[in-house]
Amino acid sequence: MQTPTTQHRVVGVLLAAGQGSRYGMPKVLAHRGAWLRSAVAALRGGGCSRVIVVLGAADTAVPDGAEAVYAPDWREGVGASLRAGLAAAADDPDADYAAVHLVDLPDVHADAVDRVIAAAAATESGLARAFYGAEPGHPVVMARVHWAAASRAATGDLGALPYLREHAGLVRRVDCDDLATGLDRDTR
Protein backbone atom coordinates (compact mmCIF):
# COMPACT_ATOMS: atom_id res chain seq x y z
CA MET A 1 0.00 0.00 0.00
CA GLN A 2 1.23 3.49 -0.79
CA THR A 3 1.82 5.81 2.10
CA PRO A 4 -0.63 8.68 1.49
CA THR A 5 1.43 11.26 3.36
CA THR A 6 4.40 10.77 1.03
CA GLN A 7 2.66 9.81 -2.22
CA HIS A 8 -0.42 12.04 -1.93
CA ARG A 9 -0.97 15.64 -0.90
CA VAL A 10 -3.82 15.92 1.59
CA VAL A 11 -5.46 19.23 2.45
CA GLY A 12 -7.33 19.46 5.74
CA VAL A 13 -10.63 21.34 5.56
CA LEU A 14 -11.83 22.34 9.02
CA LEU A 15 -15.45 23.46 9.10
CA ALA A 16 -15.72 26.14 11.80
CA ALA A 17 -18.02 28.80 10.37
CA GLY A 18 -21.21 28.21 12.35
CA GLN A 19 -22.66 30.40 15.06
CA GLY A 20 -23.13 27.51 17.48
CA SER A 21 -26.68 28.53 18.38
CA ARG A 22 -27.29 25.44 20.56
CA TYR A 23 -23.87 25.85 22.14
CA GLY A 24 -24.43 29.54 22.86
CA MET A 25 -21.43 30.87 20.89
CA PRO A 26 -19.40 30.05 17.79
CA LYS A 27 -17.62 26.79 18.58
CA VAL A 28 -14.44 28.02 16.89
CA LEU A 29 -14.06 30.24 19.99
CA ALA A 30 -14.92 27.50 22.50
CA HIS A 31 -12.58 27.10 25.44
CA ARG A 32 -10.56 30.12 24.32
CA GLY A 33 -9.79 28.49 20.99
CA ALA A 34 -8.72 25.12 22.42
CA TRP A 35 -11.07 23.18 20.11
CA LEU A 36 -9.72 25.08 17.11
CA ARG A 37 -6.12 24.37 18.07
CA SER A 38 -6.91 20.71 18.74
CA ALA A 39 -8.66 20.22 15.38
CA VAL A 40 -5.86 21.91 13.44
CA ALA A 41 -3.31 19.76 15.29
CA ALA A 42 -5.32 16.63 14.48
CA LEU A 43 -5.33 17.44 10.78
CA ARG A 44 -1.66 18.44 10.66
CA GLY A 45 -0.54 15.50 12.77
CA GLY A 46 -2.75 13.12 10.79
CA GLY A 47 -1.02 13.83 7.51
CA CYS A 48 -2.43 17.04 6.07
CA SER A 49 0.24 19.21 4.46
CA ARG A 50 -2.09 22.22 4.48
CA VAL A 51 -5.03 23.07 6.74
CA ILE A 52 -7.83 25.41 5.70
CA VAL A 53 -10.05 26.72 8.50
CA VAL A 54 -13.43 27.88 7.22
CA LEU A 55 -14.69 30.83 9.28
CA GLY A 56 -17.98 32.72 9.19
CA ALA A 57 -19.88 33.71 12.33
CA ALA A 58 -16.68 34.55 14.20
CA ASP A 59 -13.48 36.00 12.89
CA THR A 60 -10.51 34.73 14.83
CA ALA A 61 -6.84 34.10 14.34
CA VAL A 62 -6.04 30.57 13.28
CA PRO A 63 -3.14 28.57 14.69
CA ASP A 64 0.24 28.42 13.00
CA GLY A 65 0.15 25.85 10.23
CA ALA A 66 -3.37 26.81 9.15
CA GLU A 67 -4.96 29.45 6.94
CA ALA A 68 -8.37 31.06 7.22
CA VAL A 69 -10.99 31.11 4.47
CA TYR A 70 -14.23 33.02 4.93
CA ALA A 71 -17.58 31.50 3.92
CA PRO A 72 -19.71 34.55 3.12
CA ASP A 73 -22.91 32.48 3.05
CA TRP A 74 -22.15 30.62 6.31
CA ARG A 75 -25.70 31.27 7.60
CA GLU A 76 -26.96 28.71 5.06
CA GLY A 77 -25.34 25.96 7.13
CA VAL A 78 -22.45 23.55 6.98
CA GLY A 79 -23.00 23.02 3.25
CA ALA A 80 -21.84 26.58 2.60
CA SER A 81 -18.76 25.99 4.75
CA LEU A 82 -17.96 22.80 2.89
CA ARG A 83 -18.29 24.56 -0.47
CA ALA A 84 -15.93 27.34 0.65
CA GLY A 85 -13.39 24.88 2.04
CA LEU A 86 -13.37 22.61 -0.99
CA ALA A 87 -13.11 25.61 -3.32
CA ALA A 88 -10.02 26.77 -1.43
CA ALA A 89 -8.57 23.26 -1.54
CA ALA A 90 -9.23 23.07 -5.29
CA ASP A 91 -7.04 26.15 -5.77
CA ASP A 92 -4.09 23.95 -4.79
CA PRO A 93 -3.14 22.13 -8.01
CA ASP A 94 -1.08 19.56 -6.09
CA ALA A 95 -3.84 18.52 -3.68
CA ASP A 96 -5.06 14.95 -4.18
CA TYR A 97 -7.34 14.52 -1.16
CA ALA A 98 -9.34 16.64 1.26
CA ALA A 99 -9.75 15.54 4.87
CA VAL A 100 -12.94 17.24 6.09
CA HIS A 101 -13.20 17.68 9.85
CA LEU A 102 -15.38 19.61 12.32
CA VAL A 103 -14.21 22.02 15.00
CA ASP A 104 -16.57 20.60 17.65
CA LEU A 105 -15.00 17.14 17.90
CA PRO A 106 -12.39 17.75 20.60
CA ASP A 107 -11.63 14.08 21.25
CA VAL A 108 -10.81 13.22 17.61
CA HIS A 109 -7.05 13.42 17.21
CA ALA A 110 -4.34 12.80 14.62
CA ASP A 111 -4.52 9.01 14.87
CA ALA A 112 -8.11 8.99 13.58
CA VAL A 113 -7.26 11.42 10.77
CA ASP A 114 -4.26 9.30 9.77
CA ARG A 115 -6.36 6.13 9.75
CA VAL A 116 -9.07 7.61 7.51
CA ILE A 117 -6.53 9.15 5.11
CA ALA A 118 -4.78 5.80 4.77
CA ALA A 119 -8.10 4.06 4.07
CA ALA A 120 -9.08 6.61 1.41
CA ALA A 121 -5.70 6.24 -0.30
CA ALA A 122 -6.03 2.45 -0.25
CA THR A 123 -9.43 2.35 -1.91
CA GLU A 124 -10.10 2.84 -5.61
CA SER A 125 -12.92 5.31 -4.94
CA GLY A 126 -10.82 7.62 -2.78
CA LEU A 127 -13.71 7.99 -0.30
CA ALA A 128 -13.45 7.06 3.38
CA ARG A 129 -15.30 8.05 6.52
CA ALA A 130 -14.70 7.57 10.22
CA PHE A 131 -17.26 5.52 12.12
CA TYR A 132 -17.69 5.48 15.88
CA GLY A 133 -19.59 2.29 16.59
CA ALA A 134 -22.53 2.29 14.18
CA GLU A 135 -22.47 6.07 13.77
CA PRO A 136 -20.78 7.76 10.81
CA GLY A 137 -18.66 10.75 11.73
CA HIS A 138 -15.57 12.76 10.86
CA PRO A 139 -13.09 13.02 9.40
CA VAL A 140 -14.36 12.31 5.92
CA VAL A 141 -11.64 11.98 3.30
CA MET A 142 -12.36 12.38 -0.38
CA ALA A 143 -10.20 12.33 -3.46
CA ARG A 144 -10.22 15.42 -5.67
CA VAL A 145 -12.45 13.73 -8.24
CA HIS A 146 -15.35 14.00 -5.73
CA TRP A 147 -14.95 17.64 -4.66
CA ALA A 148 -17.03 19.40 -7.33
CA ALA A 149 -19.97 17.00 -7.07
CA ALA A 150 -19.86 16.97 -3.27
CA SER A 151 -19.88 20.78 -3.31
CA ARG A 152 -22.87 20.89 -5.65
CA ALA A 153 -24.76 18.45 -3.41
CA ALA A 154 -23.90 20.32 -0.18
CA THR A 155 -26.92 22.20 1.11
CA GLY A 156 -28.12 23.47 4.46
CA ASP A 157 -26.84 21.61 7.48
CA LEU A 158 -26.30 18.36 5.59
CA GLY A 159 -22.86 19.17 4.22
CA ALA A 160 -21.53 16.27 2.16
CA LEU A 161 -24.16 13.84 3.49
CA PRO A 162 -26.32 13.79 0.33
CA TYR A 163 -23.26 13.00 -1.78
CA LEU A 164 -21.99 10.36 0.63
CA ARG A 165 -25.42 8.70 0.75
CA GLU A 166 -25.68 8.70 -3.05
CA HIS A 167 -22.26 7.06 -3.26
CA ALA A 168 -22.55 4.87 -0.15
CA GLY A 169 -21.20 1.83 -1.95
CA LEU A 170 -17.95 3.67 -2.64
CA VAL A 171 -17.35 4.98 0.90
CA ARG A 172 -14.88 2.93 2.92
CA ARG A 173 -16.04 2.59 6.52
CA VAL A 174 -13.15 3.22 8.91
CA ASP A 175 -13.75 2.11 12.48
CA CYS A 176 -12.32 4.70 14.88
CA ASP A 177 -14.27 4.01 18.05
CA ASP A 178 -11.12 2.64 19.65
CA LEU A 179 -9.61 6.12 19.25
CA ALA A 180 -12.42 8.55 20.15
CA THR A 181 -16.13 8.92 20.79
CA GLY A 182 -16.58 11.10 17.71
CA LEU A 183 -19.38 12.98 19.46
CA ASP A 184 -19.86 16.59 18.50
CA ARG A 185 -20.40 19.03 21.31
CA ASP A 186 -23.67 20.90 20.84
CA THR A 187 -24.20 22.07 24.41
CA ARG A 188 -21.90 23.40 27.08
Side-chain angles (χ1 to χ4, degrees):
M1 178 173 80
Q2 292 180 329
T3 305
T5 54
T6 59
Q7 299 296 321
H8 303 97
R9 182 166 158 90
V10 183
V11 175
V13 176
L14 181 62
L15 306 181
Q19 68 183 10
S21 56
R22 290 174 293 192
Y23 190 75
M25 65 183 287
K27 295 177 190 176
V28 71
L29 304 175
H31 302 276
R32 297 186 185 139
W35 288 2
L36 171 61
R37 291 187 300 277
S38 175
V40 168
L43 289 167
R44 294 288 296 178
C48 297
S49 57
R50 178 179 173 212
V51 175
I52 297 164
V53 178
V54 183
L55 298 175
D59 187 12
T60 188
V62 297
D64 289 342
E67 60 193 80
V69 169
Y70 184 72
D73 50 353
W74 63 267
R75 286 179 181 84
E76 293 177 17
V78 73
S81 298
L82 179 64
R83 290 190 305 270
L86 289 177
D91 286 342
D92 183 342
D94 297 324
D96 298 307
Y97 291 88
V100 181
H101 192 41
L102 306 178
V103 75
D104 63 350
L105 303 174
D107 77 336
V108 175
H109 300 290
D111 47 2
V113 175
D114 177 64
R115 188 179 286 179
V116 181
I117 289 171
T123 185
E124 189 174 320
S125 70
L127 284 172
R129 182 172 201 176
F131 272 74
Y132 301 93
E135 296 300 316
H138 286 82
V140 172
V141 177
M142 57 181 76
R144 179 185 278 274
V145 68
H146 300 285
W147 298 355
S151 290
R152 286 191 301 273
T155 60
D157 281 328
L158 297 178
L161 190 57
Y163 185 80
L164 295 172
R165 283 182 177 159
E166 181 181 340
H167 297 87
L170 300 177
V171 180
R172 168 85 46 97
R173 175 191 171 119
V174 183
D175 293 321
C176 294
D177 53 344
D178 62 320
L179 303 174
T181 66
L183 297 174
D184 64 342
R185 306 299 194 253
D186 283 335
T187 58
R188 290 190 200 206

